[in-house]
Amino acid sequence: MTMSQANLEHLLSRRVLDMDASGIRRAFELGARLENPINLSIGQPHYPVPQVMKDAAIKAIRDDCNGYSLSGGIDALHEVVRGHLKHDLGWSTEDPEIGVIVTSGTSGALLLSAMALVDPGDEIIIPDPWFVIYPQLGPLTGARIVTCDTYPDFRMTAERIEPLITDRTKFILINSPGNPTGVVLDEGEMRDVAALCRDRGVQLVSDEIYDEFVFPESARPDGSCPSPGRHDQGTLVIRGFGKTYGCTGWRLGYAAGPNWLVDQMRKLQQFTFVCAPTPLQWGVVPAFDHDNSHQIEAYARRRDRVVEVLSPHTDVVVPGGAFYAFFEVPASLGIDASAFVERAVERRVLLVAGGVFSSRDTHVRLSFAVGEEILEEGLQAIAELLQGR
Ligand code: PMP
């Protein structure tokens, strides 16, 4: 006997019924139709995991490190993460008020932070355009999602956030370098956002999964990425290993910040994910010693090429980091981004329509985390489409 639609809706939670996955599904379906696609829709680097990390993960499996770890993560990884935070953000390795938790991907840290911070009816401020998980933190927790319109320059500044804060605001989520825009806030903007959150007593959560992908003109003089964590240790900094080291499938990230919050996230992890995959935690211990600056330089060159080819035909905000460009569909074409993406599919090019990441469907996300030849072929096709050819 099959369940009727009405019955299923009775059994399923409001939470899942309220989630709309059709945009992302559509992107996958379009791709599945193509035989030899020029795939510029991918959200992960195209290079392999460093050999030292593969070896460390394999060694851990061989050495029988296959059981649960402490729910907050293995000590060896905590040690290197704390060392990195000291070097990068100037955070003390000894300060008991700073907590670190190893999570199942950056996504795991985002979910745990939201679960630890909000009650139904509370408000979370997120950027528009957003990373796809952010709006879903609403149905997942019962919170109300308030979007911060960052068009046309995609900068989520204190000035834009301030009018959105109410007495129900619990936390503000920023993402720099940003997905889908590649925009990087500068040090002054970070300082202002951190100060605003501190003054108004709301928690700042900074999704820095692309922190290593920052191009020279957007980086600090020492090459590192601007972060509110340098201005306020009360910031919850969320970072990941997947993008930087090409191991998205390992599902490893971490959150670091005020221990009163990290401690609650640890408690939630104990009763949900239990711990992040143990052998793979061992796998990322050597990560911070690995220099992948040549990969980032290669992506900066691809970024230059994207801007060079597309900007004569449309508005494209120069990405300061990550590996995405978010370009506008010219009004002269008279179509929305979804229609543009369909046209691109006819030329075997896979892109993602802005409507997947935004309340507007006016822009298109292109990922340049691909080989140079593929990118070049895709760019030529997109340039022709932008000219209505
Ligand atoms: N945040 C942003 C901005 C992302 O782009 C992604 C991945 N696309 C994530 C978080 C999730 O990353 P992870 O695979 O580590 O869960």
Side-chain angles (χ1 to χ4, degrees), residues 42-44 103-110 130-134 173-180 207-210 238-243 247-254 322-324 357 365:
I42 298 181
Q44 59 188 346
T103 52
S104 289
T106 310
S107 310
L110 285 167
W130 52 68
F131 166 54
V132 290
I133 285 182
Y134 299 171
L173 184 48
I174 61 168
N175 172 220
S176 168
N179 178 6
D207 178 349
E208 302 182 2
I209 186 166
Y210 298 102
I238 295 181
R239 292 183 174 176
F241 296 94
K243 309 276 179 183
C247 58
T248 48
W250 285 15
R251 311 304 310 131
L252 278 178
Y254 63 92
F323 35 70
Y324 309 109
F357 311 101
R365 189 189 78 172

Side-chain angles (χ1 to χ4, degrees), residues 303-350:
R303 183 277 311 263
D304 292 344
R305 188 66 191 138
V306 169
V307 174
E308 186 181 15
V309 176
L310 300 190
S311 56
H313 311 299
T314 184
D315 273 342
V316 46
V317 174
V318 177
F323 35 70
Y324 309 109
F326 202 55
F327 63 86
E328 187 167 12
V329 177
S332 59
L333 292 183
I335 54 170
D336 62 16
S338 299
F340 186 91
V341 166
E342 302 253 0
R343 280 189 192 175
V345 169
E346 286 164 20
R347 303 209 179 194
R348 292 192 297 118
V349 179
L350 287 181

Side-chain angles (χ1 to χ4, degrees), residues 41-174:
S41 73
I42 298 181
Q44 59 188 346
H46 77 299
Y47 49 78
V49 182
Q51 192 61 40
V52 277
M53 292 172 59
K54 291 182 186 169
D55 290 344
I58 292 165
K59 181 173 184 313
I61 291 174
R62 290 221 168 99
D63 288 352
D64 298 321
C65 301
N66 297 301
Y68 300 124
S69 76
L70 289 172
S71 57
I74 60 171
D75 286 345
L77 184 52
H78 271 243
E79 203 173 303
V80 293
V81 165
R82 281 184 181 271
H84 178 69
L85 292 172
K86 180 176 185 181
H87 167 74
D88 188 32
L89 299 179
W91 288 8
S92 153
T93 43
E94 309 299 328
D95 189 343
E97 290 191 10
I98 297 176
V100 173
I101 176 173
V102 179
T103 52
S104 289
T106 310
S107 310
L110 285 167
L111 178 65
L112 294 178
S113 64
M115 290 185 75
L117 287 166
V118 296
D119 284 316
D122 288 340
E123 293 172 3
I124 307 174
I125 300 178
I126 66 163
D128 178 357
W130 52 68
F131 166 54
V132 290
I133 285 182
Y134 299 171
Q136 307 304 342
L137 295 174
L140 281 169
T141 61
R144 199 168 85 80
I145 296 294
V146 176
T147 57
C148 178
D149 184 342
T150 65
Y151 287 84
D153 57 7
F154 309 124
R155 308 193 83 79
M156 187 158 161
T157 56
E159 208 178 7
R160 284 178 171 154
I161 297 168
E162 212 264 345
L164 304 172
I165 299 177
T166 71
D167 52 11
R168 295 305 307 256
T169 307
K170 274 295 192 64
F171 80 90
I172 294 171
L173 184 48
I174 61 168

